[in-house]
Every structure is written in C-alpha cells, then in structure tokens.
Amino acid sequence: IPTAVVSVAMVGKLASTIAFGIIFYYAAELYPTKIRNTGLCVCSTWARVGSALGAYAGELVSAKIVQ
C-alpha cells in the first residue's frame, strides 16, 4: 500500500475521532442538567451506531460501482 494512501487514511481517522469528541462534549451543553445524562447516552449510542455502519459504507458504494 502506498504511503500516501495510508497517510490519508490516518488523517481521516484522526478527523473522525476529533469530530466525535467535539460533538460529544457539545451535546452535553445542549441539554438541561436534569436530563443531561440521558441526552449524552442517546447521543453516544447513535454516534457509535453511525461509526459501526460507516465501516460498511465503502463496501456498499464499491458493490454498486462494480455492478
């Protein structure tokens, strides 16, 4: 694998991790104190579901291109 491809992949993973962290902490400030824990739990759950489904997005796109 060329070095450029690995470098771009690592930068993408870094950007994804940074975006998750920013959204996670920003979401904490959106909710009132009484429901903050529940709100953070819901946001965290959907963020993890999205990251799990994102792993298959490339395969879905490449499968449609090949057909």
Side-chain angles (χ1 to χ4, degrees):
I1 299 177
T3 306
V5 173
V6 174
S7 299
V8 170
M10 290 295 116
V11 169
K13 288 179 90 171
L14 176 66
S16 175
T17 302
I18 290 171
F20 175 77
I22 290 171
I23 291 170
F24 186 79
Y25 291 119
Y26 180 71
E29 299 301 321
L30 291 177
Y31 300 105
T33 304
K34 291 184 178 182
I35 62 168
R36 186 170 290 163
N37 289 336
T38 304
L40 277 177
C41 181
V42 169
C43 288
S44 179
T45 300
W46 283 110
R48 293 179 192 275
V49 167
S51 66
L53 293 177
Y56 298 108
E59 292 179 25
L60 291 173
V61 169
S62 65
K64 287 194 175 220
I65 292 173
V66 172
Q67 293 178 353

Short mmCIF file of all heavy atoms in Angstrom, two decimals:
data_model
loop_
_atom_site.label_atom_id
_atom_site.label_comp_id
_atom_site.label_asym_id
_atom_site.label_seq_id
_atom_site.Cartn_x
_atom_site.Cartn_y
_atom_site.Cartn_z
N ILE A 1 0.86 -1.18 0.00
CA ILE A 1 0.00 0.00 0.00
C ILE A 1 0.90 1.23 0.00
O ILE A 1 1.79 1.34 0.83
CB ILE A 1 -0.91 0.01 1.24
CG1 ILE A 1 -1.81 -1.21 1.24
CG2 ILE A 1 -1.73 1.27 1.30
CD1 ILE A 1 -2.69 -1.33 2.45
N PRO A 2 0.63 2.14 -0.91
CA PRO A 2 1.46 3.36 -0.96
C PRO A 2 1.35 4.18 0.33
O PRO A 2 0.32 4.17 1.01
CB PRO A 2 0.89 4.13 -2.14
CG PRO A 2 0.15 3.13 -2.95
CD PRO A 2 -0.31 2.08 -2.00
N THR A 3 2.41 4.87 0.61
CA THR A 3 2.46 5.69 1.81
C THR A 3 1.41 6.78 1.80
O THR A 3 0.83 7.11 2.84
CB THR A 3 3.86 6.33 1.95
OG1 THR A 3 4.84 5.29 1.90
CG2 THR A 3 4.00 7.06 3.25
N ALA A 4 1.11 7.33 0.66
CA ALA A 4 0.12 8.41 0.57
C ALA A 4 -1.27 7.91 0.97
O ALA A 4 -2.01 8.62 1.66
CB ALA A 4 0.08 8.98 -0.84
N VAL A 5 -1.61 6.70 0.57
CA VAL A 5 -2.93 6.14 0.90
C VAL A 5 -3.05 5.93 2.41
O VAL A 5 -4.07 6.28 3.02
CB VAL A 5 -3.16 4.81 0.14
CG1 VAL A 5 -4.43 4.13 0.61
CG2 VAL A 5 -3.19 5.04 -1.35
N VAL A 6 -2.01 5.40 3.01
CA VAL A 6 -2.01 5.18 4.46
C VAL A 6 -2.08 6.52 5.20
O VAL A 6 -2.82 6.66 6.18
CB VAL A 6 -0.77 4.37 4.90
CG1 VAL A 6 -0.69 4.26 6.40
CG2 VAL A 6 -0.80 2.99 4.27
N SER A 7 -1.36 7.50 4.71
CA SER A 7 -1.37 8.82 5.35
C SER A 7 -2.75 9.46 5.29
O SER A 7 -3.24 10.00 6.30
CB SER A 7 -0.35 9.75 4.68
OG SER A 7 0.94 9.22 4.81
N VAL A 8 -3.40 9.39 4.14
CA VAL A 8 -4.74 9.96 4.01
C VAL A 8 -5.73 9.21 4.90
O VAL A 8 -6.60 9.82 5.53
CB VAL A 8 -5.19 9.94 2.53
CG1 VAL A 8 -6.66 10.29 2.39
CG2 VAL A 8 -4.34 10.89 1.72
N ALA A 9 -5.59 7.90 4.99
CA ALA A 9 -6.48 7.11 5.85
C ALA A 9 -6.30 7.49 7.32
O ALA A 9 -7.28 7.61 8.06
CB ALA A 9 -6.22 5.62 5.65
N MET A 10 -5.07 7.69 7.74
CA MET A 10 -4.82 8.06 9.14
C MET A 10 -5.34 9.46 9.45
O MET A 10 -5.88 9.71 10.53
CB MET A 10 -3.32 7.99 9.45
CG MET A 10 -2.76 6.59 9.47
SD MET A 10 -3.48 5.64 10.82
CE MET A 10 -4.33 4.39 9.94
N VAL A 11 -5.20 10.38 8.51
CA VAL A 11 -5.74 11.73 8.70
C VAL A 11 -7.26 11.67 8.78
O VAL A 11 -7.88 12.36 9.61
CB VAL A 11 -5.26 12.68 7.57
CG1 VAL A 11 -6.02 14.00 7.61
CG2 VAL A 11 -3.77 12.93 7.68
N GLY A 12 -7.87 10.84 7.97
CA GLY A 12 -9.32 10.66 8.03
C GLY A 12 -9.79 10.10 9.35
O GLY A 12 -10.80 10.55 9.91
N LYS A 13 -9.06 9.12 9.87
CA LYS A 13 -9.41 8.55 11.17
C LYS A 13 -9.24 9.59 12.28
O LYS A 13 -10.03 9.66 13.22
CB LYS A 13 -8.57 7.32 11.45
CG LYS A 13 -8.94 6.13 10.60
CD LYS A 13 -8.06 4.95 10.90
CE LYS A 13 -8.72 4.15 12.01
NZ LYS A 13 -8.06 2.87 12.23
N LEU A 14 -8.20 10.38 12.19
CA LEU A 14 -7.97 11.43 13.18
C LEU A 14 -9.10 12.45 13.14
O LEU A 14 -9.61 12.85 14.19
CB LEU A 14 -6.63 12.12 12.92
CG LEU A 14 -6.30 13.31 13.83
CD1 LEU A 14 -6.13 12.84 15.27
CD2 LEU A 14 -5.07 14.03 13.34
N ALA A 15 -9.49 12.86 11.94
CA ALA A 15 -10.58 13.83 11.81
C ALA A 15 -11.89 13.27 12.37
O ALA A 15 -12.66 13.98 13.02
CB ALA A 15 -10.75 14.23 10.35
N SER A 16 -12.13 12.00 12.13
CA SER A 16 -13.33 11.36 12.65
C SER A 16 -13.33 11.32 14.17
O SER A 16 -14.36 11.58 14.82
CB SER A 16 -13.43 9.94 12.08
OG SER A 16 -14.50 9.26 12.66
N THR A 17 -12.21 11.03 14.75
CA THR A 17 -12.09 10.98 16.21
C THR A 17 -12.27 12.37 16.82
O THR A 17 -12.95 12.53 17.84
CB THR A 17 -10.72 10.41 16.61
OG1 THR A 17 -10.59 9.10 16.04
CG2 THR A 17 -10.56 10.32 18.11
N ILE A 18 -11.68 13.37 16.20
CA ILE A 18 -11.83 14.74 16.69
C ILE A 18 -13.28 15.20 16.59
O ILE A 18 -13.81 15.81 17.53
CB ILE A 18 -10.89 15.69 15.91
CG1 ILE A 18 -9.44 15.41 16.29
CG2 ILE A 18 -11.23 17.15 16.18
CD1 ILE A 18 -8.42 16.13 15.44
N ALA A 19 -13.93 14.89 15.47
CA ALA A 19 -15.34 15.27 15.30
C ALA A 19 -16.22 14.60 16.35
O ALA A 19 -17.12 15.23 16.91
CB ALA A 19 -15.82 14.91 13.90
N PHE A 20 -15.96 13.34 16.63
CA PHE A 20 -16.74 12.63 17.66
C PHE A 20 -16.56 13.31 19.02
O PHE A 20 -17.53 13.52 19.74
CB PHE A 20 -16.32 11.17 17.74
CG PHE A 20 -16.99 10.43 18.85
CD1 PHE A 20 -18.31 10.02 18.73
CD2 PHE A 20 -16.32 10.15 20.02
CE1 PHE A 20 -18.95 9.34 19.75
CE2 PHE A 20 -16.94 9.48 21.05
CZ PHE A 20 -18.26 9.06 20.91
N GLY A 21 -15.34 13.64 19.35
CA GLY A 21 -15.09 14.28 20.64
C GLY A 21 -15.76 15.63 20.77
O GLY A 21 -16.35 15.95 21.80
N ILE A 22 -15.69 16.42 19.71
CA ILE A 22 -16.32 17.75 19.74
C ILE A 22 -17.83 17.63 19.87
O ILE A 22 -18.45 18.32 20.68
CB ILE A 22 -15.94 18.54 18.48
CG1 ILE A 22 -14.46 18.93 18.54
CG2 ILE A 22 -16.81 19.78 18.33
CD1 ILE A 22 -13.92 19.52 17.26
N ILE A 23 -18.43 16.75 19.08
CA ILE A 23 -19.88 16.58 19.14
C ILE A 23 -20.32 16.03 20.49
O ILE A 23 -21.34 16.44 21.05
CB ILE A 23 -20.36 15.68 17.99
CG1 ILE A 23 -20.19 16.42 16.67
CG2 ILE A 23 -21.81 15.24 18.18
CD1 ILE A 23 -20.40 15.56 15.45
N PHE A 24 -19.54 15.12 21.05
CA PHE A 24 -19.89 14.52 22.34
C PHE A 24 -19.91 15.58 23.44
O PHE A 24 -20.85 15.66 24.22
CB PHE A 24 -18.89 13.41 22.67
CG PHE A 24 -19.23 12.64 23.90
CD1 PHE A 24 -20.21 11.66 23.86
CD2 PHE A 24 -18.60 12.90 25.10
CE1 PHE A 24 -20.53 10.93 25.00
CE2 PHE A 24 -18.91 12.19 26.23
CZ PHE A 24 -19.88 11.21 26.18
N TYR A 25 -18.89 16.41 23.48
CA TYR A 25 -18.84 17.44 24.53
C TYR A 25 -19.81 18.58 24.28
O TYR A 25 -20.36 19.17 25.20
CB TYR A 25 -17.42 17.98 24.70
CG TYR A 25 -16.50 16.94 25.30
CD1 TYR A 25 -15.39 16.48 24.62
CD2 TYR A 25 -16.77 16.39 26.54
CE1 TYR A 25 -14.57 15.51 25.16
CE2 TYR A 25 -15.96 15.43 27.09
CZ TYR A 25 -14.86 15.00 26.40
OH TYR A 25 -14.06 14.03 26.94
N TYR A 26 -20.05 18.90 23.01
CA TYR A 26 -21.01 19.95 22.69
C TYR A 26 -22.43 19.50 23.04
O TYR A 26 -23.25 20.29 23.51
CB TYR A 26 -20.92 20.31 21.21
CG TYR A 26 -21.89 21.39 20.80
CD1 TYR A 26 -21.70 22.71 21.20
CD2 TYR A 26 -22.99 21.10 20.02
CE1 TYR A 26 -22.59 23.70 20.84
CE2 TYR A 26 -23.89 22.08 19.65
CZ TYR A 26 -23.68 23.38 20.07
OH TYR A 26 -24.56 24.36 19.71
N ALA A 27 -22.73 18.22 22.82
CA ALA A 27 -24.06 17.69 23.13
C ALA A 27 -24.36 17.79 24.62
O ALA A 27 -25.52 17.95 25.02
CB ALA A 27 -24.18 16.25 22.66
N ALA A 28 -23.35 17.70 25.44
CA ALA A 28 -23.55 17.81 26.89
C ALA A 28 -24.09 19.18 27.28
O ALA A 28 -24.87 19.30 28.24
CB ALA A 28 -22.24 17.55 27.63
N GLU A 29 -23.73 20.18 26.54
CA GLU A 29 -24.17 21.53 26.86
C GLU A 29 -25.56 21.86 26.30
O GLU A 29 -26.15 22.86 26.66
CB GLU A 29 -23.15 22.54 26.33
CG GLU A 29 -21.78 22.38 26.95
CD GLU A 29 -21.78 22.52 28.45
OE1 GLU A 29 -22.52 23.37 28.97
OE2 GLU A 29 -21.05 21.76 29.11
N LEU A 30 -26.07 21.02 25.42
CA LEU A 30 -27.37 21.28 24.82
C LEU A 30 -28.53 20.94 25.75
O LEU A 30 -29.61 21.51 25.63
CB LEU A 30 -27.54 20.46 23.54
CG LEU A 30 -26.66 20.88 22.37
CD1 LEU A 30 -26.89 19.93 21.22
CD2 LEU A 30 -26.96 22.29 21.96
N TYR A 31 -28.32 20.02 26.64
CA TYR A 31 -29.40 19.52 27.48
C TYR A 31 -29.38 20.17 28.86
O TYR A 31 -28.31 20.46 29.41
CB TYR A 31 -29.28 18.00 27.64
CG TYR A 31 -29.36 17.28 26.33
CD1 TYR A 31 -28.22 16.75 25.74
CD2 TYR A 31 -30.57 17.14 25.67
CE1 TYR A 31 -28.30 16.09 24.53
CE2 TYR A 31 -30.65 16.48 24.46
CZ TYR A 31 -29.52 15.96 23.90
OH TYR A 31 -29.59 15.31 22.70
N PRO A 32 -30.56 20.35 29.46
CA PRO A 32 -30.61 20.84 30.83
C PRO A 32 -29.98 19.82 31.79
O PRO A 32 -29.86 18.64 31.46
CB PRO A 32 -32.10 20.98 31.13
CG PRO A 32 -32.78 20.93 29.82
CD PRO A 32 -31.89 20.22 28.88
N THR A 33 -29.60 20.28 32.94
CA THR A 33 -28.88 19.43 33.88
C THR A 33 -29.66 18.17 34.24
O THR A 33 -29.07 17.10 34.38
CB THR A 33 -28.58 20.23 35.17
OG1 THR A 33 -27.86 21.40 34.80
CG2 THR A 33 -27.76 19.41 36.14
N LYS A 34 -30.97 18.26 34.36
CA LYS A 34 -31.76 17.11 34.80
C LYS A 34 -31.76 15.96 33.80
O LYS A 34 -31.88 14.81 34.18
CB LYS A 34 -33.20 17.53 35.09
CG LYS A 34 -33.31 18.41 36.30
CD LYS A 34 -34.76 18.74 36.61
CE LYS A 34 -34.84 19.60 37.86
NZ LYS A 34 -36.24 19.89 38.21
N ILE A 35 -31.65 16.26 32.52
CA ILE A 35 -31.67 15.19 31.53
C ILE A 35 -30.34 15.05 30.78
O ILE A 35 -30.26 14.38 29.75
CB ILE A 35 -32.83 15.39 30.52
CG1 ILE A 35 -32.66 16.68 29.76
CG2 ILE A 35 -34.16 15.29 31.19
CD1 ILE A 35 -33.60 16.79 28.56
N ARG A 36 -29.31 15.63 31.30
CA ARG A 36 -28.01 15.62 30.61
C ARG A 36 -27.46 14.21 30.44
O ARG A 36 -26.98 13.84 29.37
CB ARG A 36 -27.02 16.49 31.37
CG ARG A 36 -25.69 16.64 30.64
CD ARG A 36 -24.85 17.69 31.29
NE ARG A 36 -25.47 18.98 31.02
CZ ARG A 36 -25.20 20.09 31.68
NH1 ARG A 36 -24.33 20.07 32.65
NH2 ARG A 36 -25.80 21.21 31.37
N ASN A 37 -27.54 13.38 31.48
CA ASN A 37 -27.00 12.02 31.37
C ASN A 37 -27.74 11.21 30.32
O ASN A 37 -27.13 10.48 29.54
CB ASN A 37 -27.07 11.32 32.72
CG ASN A 37 -26.08 11.89 33.70
OD1 ASN A 37 -25.08 12.46 33.31
ND2 ASN A 37 -26.34 11.72 34.97
N THR A 38 -29.05 11.32 30.29
CA THR A 38 -29.83 10.60 29.29
C THR A 38 -29.52 11.12 27.89
O THR A 38 -29.36 10.33 26.95
CB THR A 38 -31.33 10.74 29.58
OG1 THR A 38 -31.60 10.29 30.90
CG2 THR A 38 -32.15 9.94 28.60
N GLY A 39 -29.43 12.42 27.75
CA GLY A 39 -29.11 13.00 26.45
C GLY A 39 -27.74 12.57 25.95
O GLY A 39 -27.58 12.24 24.78
N LEU A 40 -26.75 12.55 26.83
CA LEU A 40 -25.42 12.12 26.43
C LEU A 40 -25.42 10.64 26.05
O LEU A 40 -24.75 10.24 25.10
CB LEU A 40 -24.43 12.34 27.57
CG LEU A 40 -23.87 13.75 27.67
CD1 LEU A 40 -22.97 13.88 28.87
CD2 LEU A 40 -23.11 14.09 26.42
N CYS A 41 -26.17 9.86 26.77
CA CYS A 41 -26.25 8.43 26.47
C CYS A 41 -26.86 8.20 25.09
O CYS A 41 -26.35 7.40 24.31
CB CYS A 41 -27.06 7.72 27.55
SG CYS A 41 -27.18 5.96 27.29
N VAL A 42 -27.92 8.91 24.78
CA VAL A 42 -28.57 8.76 23.48
C VAL A 42 -27.63 9.22 22.36
O VAL A 42 -27.48 8.54 21.34
CB VAL A 42 -29.90 9.55 23.45
CG1 VAL A 42 -30.45 9.64 22.05
CG2 VAL A 42 -30.90 8.91 24.39
N CYS A 43 -26.99 10.36 22.55
CA CYS A 43 -26.05 10.86 21.53
C CYS A 43 -24.87 9.91 21.33
O CYS A 43 -24.46 9.64 20.20
CB CYS A 43 -25.53 12.24 21.92
SG CYS A 43 -26.76 13.53 21.75
N SER A 44 -24.36 9.39 22.41
CA SER A 44 -23.24 8.46 22.32
C SER A 44 -23.65 7.17 21.61
O SER A 44 -22.89 6.64 20.80
CB SER A 44 -22.72 8.14 23.72
OG SER A 44 -21.66 7.23 23.65
N THR A 45 -24.84 6.70 21.91
CA THR A 45 -25.32 5.47 21.28
C THR A 45 -25.44 5.65 19.77
O THR A 45 -24.96 4.81 18.99
CB THR A 45 -26.68 5.06 21.86
OG1 THR A 45 -26.52 4.83 23.27
CG2 THR A 45 -27.21 3.81 21.20
N TRP A 46 -26.07 6.74 19.33
CA TRP A 46 -26.24 6.96 17.90
C TRP A 46 -24.91 7.25 17.20
O TRP A 46 -24.73 6.89 16.04
CB TRP A 46 -27.26 8.06 17.64
CG TRP A 46 -28.64 7.54 17.83
CD1 TRP A 46 -29.50 7.86 18.83
CD2 TRP A 46 -29.31 6.57 17.04
NE1 TRP A 46 -30.66 7.15 18.70
CE2 TRP A 46 -30.58 6.34 17.60
CE3 TRP A 46 -28.96 5.85 15.90
CZ2 TRP A 46 -31.48 5.44 17.07
CZ3 TRP A 46 -29.88 4.95 15.37
CH2 TRP A 46 -31.12 4.76 15.94
N ALA A 47 -23.99 7.86 17.90
CA ALA A 47 -22.67 8.09 17.31
C ALA A 47 -21.95 6.77 17.08
O ALA A 47 -21.30 6.57 16.04
CB ALA A 47 -21.83 8.99 18.22
N ARG A 48 -22.08 5.86 18.00
CA ARG A 48 -21.43 4.55 17.85
C ARG A 48 -22.13 3.71 16.77
O ARG A 48 -21.47 2.97 16.03
CB ARG A 48 -21.38 3.83 19.17
CG ARG A 48 -20.44 4.54 20.13
CD ARG A 48 -20.36 3.89 21.48
NE ARG A 48 -19.67 4.76 22.42
CZ ARG A 48 -18.37 4.82 22.55
NH1 ARG A 48 -17.60 4.09 21.79
NH2 ARG A 48 -17.83 5.63 23.45
N VAL A 49 -23.44 3.82 16.68
CA VAL A 49 -24.16 3.11 15.61
C VAL A 49 -23.71 3.65 14.25
O VAL A 49 -23.46 2.88 13.32
CB VAL A 49 -25.69 3.26 15.79
CG1 VAL A 49 -26.44 2.81 14.54
CG2 VAL A 49 -26.16 2.47 17.00
N GLY A 50 -23.61 4.97 14.15
CA GLY A 50 -23.16 5.58 12.90
C GLY A 50 -21.75 5.17 12.53
O GLY A 50 -21.45 4.91 11.36
N SER A 51 -20.87 5.09 13.51
CA SER A 51 -19.49 4.68 13.20
C SER A 51 -19.42 3.22 12.82
O SER A 51 -18.61 2.83 11.98
CB SER A 51 -18.57 4.99 14.38
OG SER A 51 -18.90 4.17 15.49
N ALA A 52 -20.28 2.39 13.39
CA ALA A 52 -20.30 0.98 13.01
C ALA A 52 -20.84 0.81 11.59
O ALA A 52 -20.32 0.01 10.81
CB ALA A 52 -21.15 0.18 13.99
N LEU A 53 -21.88 1.55 11.24
CA LEU A 53 -22.43 1.46 9.89
C LEU A 53 -21.51 2.11 8.86
O LEU A 53 -21.50 1.70 7.69
CB LEU A 53 -23.81 2.12 9.85
CG LEU A 53 -24.90 1.41 10.64
CD1 LEU A 53 -26.20 2.22 10.59
CD2 LEU A 53 -25.13 0.01 10.14
N GLY A 54 -20.76 3.09 9.27
CA GLY A 54 -19.84 3.76 8.37
C GLY A 54 -18.75 2.84 7.85
O GLY A 54 -18.22 3.05 6.75
N ALA A 55 -18.42 1.82 8.61
CA ALA A 55 -17.40 0.87 8.17
C ALA A 55 -17.85 0.10 6.92
O ALA A 55 -17.03 -0.33 6.12
CB ALA A 55 -17.09 -0.11 9.29
N TYR A 56 -19.15 -0.07 6.75
CA TYR A 56 -19.67 -0.80 5.61
C TYR A 56 -20.05 0.10 4.44
O TYR A 56 -20.40 -0.40 3.37
CB TYR A 56 -20.90 -1.61 6.02
CG TYR A 56 -20.57 -2.64 7.07
CD1 TYR A 56 -20.97 -2.48 8.38
CD2 TYR A 56 -19.83 -3.77 6.75
CE1 TYR A 56 -20.65 -3.41 9.34
CE2 TYR A 56 -19.51 -4.71 7.70
CZ TYR A 56 -19.93 -4.53 9.00
OH TYR A 56 -19.61 -5.45 9.94
N ALA A 57 -19.98 1.39 4.62
CA ALA A 57 -20.38 2.32 3.56
C ALA A 57 -19.49 2.17 2.33
O ALA A 57 -19.98 2.20 1.20
CB ALA A 57 -20.35 3.76 4.08
N GLY A 58 -18.22 2.01 2.52
CA GLY A 58 -17.30 1.83 1.40
C GLY A 58 -17.60 0.57 0.61
O GLY A 58 -17.54 0.56 -0.61
N GLU A 59 -17.94 -0.50 1.32
CA GLU A 59 -18.27 -1.74 0.64
C GLU A 59 -19.56 -1.59 -0.17
O GLU A 59 -19.66 -2.14 -1.27
CB GLU A 59 -18.41 -2.87 1.65
CG GLU A 59 -17.10 -3.23 2.32
CD GLU A 59 -17.27 -4.34 3.35
OE1 GLU A 59 -18.23 -5.12 3.24
OE2 GLU A 59 -16.43 -4.41 4.25
N LEU A 60 -20.53 -0.90 0.37
CA LEU A 60 -21.79 -0.71 -0.35
C LEU A 60 -21.59 0.12 -1.61
O LEU A 60 -22.14 -0.19 -2.66
CB LEU A 60 -22.82 -0.03 0.56
CG LEU A 60 -23.34 -0.89 1.71
CD1 LEU A 60 -24.22 -0.04 2.62
CD2 LEU A 60 -24.10 -2.08 1.21
N VAL A 61 -20.77 1.15 -1.51
CA VAL A 61 -20.52 2.01 -2.67
C VAL A 61 -19.75 1.24 -3.72
O VAL A 61 -20.09 1.28 -4.92
CB VAL A 61 -19.75 3.29 -2.24
CG1 VAL A 61 -19.25 4.05 -3.44
CG2 VAL A 61 -20.62 4.15 -1.38
N SER A 62 -18.74 0.50 -3.32
CA SER A 62 -17.95 -0.25 -4.30
C SER A 62 -18.78 -1.37 -4.93
O SER A 62 -18.58 -1.70 -6.10
CB SER A 62 -16.69 -0.81 -3.68
OG SER A 62 -17.00 -1.76 -2.68
N ALA A 63 -19.71 -1.95 -4.20
CA ALA A 63 -20.56 -3.01 -4.76
C ALA A 63 -21.49 -2.44 -5.83
O ALA A 63 -21.73 -3.08 -6.85
CB ALA A 63 -21.38 -3.67 -3.66
N LYS A 64 -21.99 -1.23 -5.63
CA LYS A 64 -22.85 -0.60 -6.64
C LYS A 64 -22.06 -0.19 -7.87
O LYS A 64 -22.58 -0.21 -8.98
CB LYS A 64 -23.58 0.60 -6.04
CG LYS A 64 -24.67 0.19 -5.09
CD LYS A 64 -25.57 1.36 -4.81
CE LYS A 64 -26.71 0.85 -3.96
NZ LYS A 64 -27.97 1.43 -4.33
N ILE A 65 -20.82 0.21 -7.68
CA ILE A 65 -19.99 0.62 -8.82
C ILE A 65 -19.64 -0.59 -9.68
O ILE A 65 -19.65 -0.52 -10.91
CB ILE A 65 -18.71 1.35 -8.33
CG1 ILE A 65 -19.10 2.68 -7.71
CG2 ILE A 65 -17.73 1.54 -9.46
CD1 ILE A 65 -17.95 3.39 -7.05
N VAL A 66 -19.35 -1.72 -9.04
CA VAL A 66 -18.95 -2.92 -9.78
C VAL A 66 -20.11 -3.47 -10.58
O VAL A 66 -19.96 -3.93 -11.70
CB VAL A 66 -18.40 -4.00 -8.80
CG1 VAL A 66 -18.19 -5.31 -9.50
CG2 VAL A 66 -17.13 -3.50 -8.17
N GLN A 67 -21.32 -3.41 -10.04
CA GLN A 67 -22.49 -3.95 -10.74
C GLN A 67 -22.78 -3.06 -11.87
O GLN A 67 -23.05 -2.97 -12.85
CB GLN A 67 -23.71 -4.01 -9.84
CG GLN A 67 -23.52 -5.01 -8.76
CD GLN A 67 -24.74 -5.05 -7.82
OE1 GLN A 67 -25.66 -4.23 -7.95
NE2 GLN A 67 -24.74 -5.94 -6.89
#
